[in-house]
Amino acid sequence: MSTMIFPFANHHLTEEGDVVPISILSLIIGEAPSPSVVVLKPQEEARDESITRIVPIWIGPTEATQLGASMEHLRYPRPMTHDLFLDALTNLDAHIEQVIIDDAKGTTFKAKLLLRQHGRLIRLDSRPSDALSLAVRQSAPMFIEDRVLDRVSFPYIHKAALSENPEAVLADFHSFLSTLSPDDFVS
């Protein structure tokens, strides 16, 4: 069974359902005991030109460090866990096809890591932090299910303000994130 991606505006239809491409907007590494947060930005057509949506996901310090290393393309003398996993995939003639964040319950998010080995598609359950770290390392596409995005996203960034004064908007954004807590996501 293969996953076909069909473009429809900025949404895609996969076997998993309607998904929206995402990118990592920011990674904020908190000092213990505070959690870190990875902020995802959907690549979608804005419903209101002045607002976009963001999806903050709280992660642990180790996961944030791994994701940060992926984003900075850091290589260490000895392979880190994610590098080892990708080396194993390469040696098995497999690669990461895509990552899909497919569920959220309270502050716990779930993801699927889709691997391709020859014609075979392999779906693995994953923590979003691991799936994102691997996707970044391999430049694989990242998605979030539309129904999850609607449930967990926050409206925030004003695009017009961003182009006029990006430093101020970024400072406001970081201030906004610092006021959020995992309890804000409990339904």
Side-chain angles (χ1 to χ4, degrees), residues 102 110-114 122-128 130-131:
D102 64 345
K110 296 181 180 182
K112 290 280 188 280
L113 187 61
L114 281 70
I122 304 163
R123 290 176 180 78
L124 301 175
D125 287 328
S126 176
R127 296 183 303 181
D130 290 329

Side-chain angles (χ1 to χ4, degrees), residues 14-53:
T14 67
E15 291 175 356
E16 282 72 27
D18 198 20
V19 295
V20 177
I22 55 174
S23 61
I24 298 172
L25 177 64
S26 183
L27 174 64
I28 301 168
I29 299 178
E31 293 182 27
S34 298
S36 298
V37 62
V38 58
V39 182
L40 305 176
K41 179 182 182 288
Q43 306 300 313
E44 61 183 351
E45 293 178 25
R47 295 174 184 164
D48 174 345
E49 287 300 318
S50 65
I51 298 173
T52 61
R53 299 190 283 179

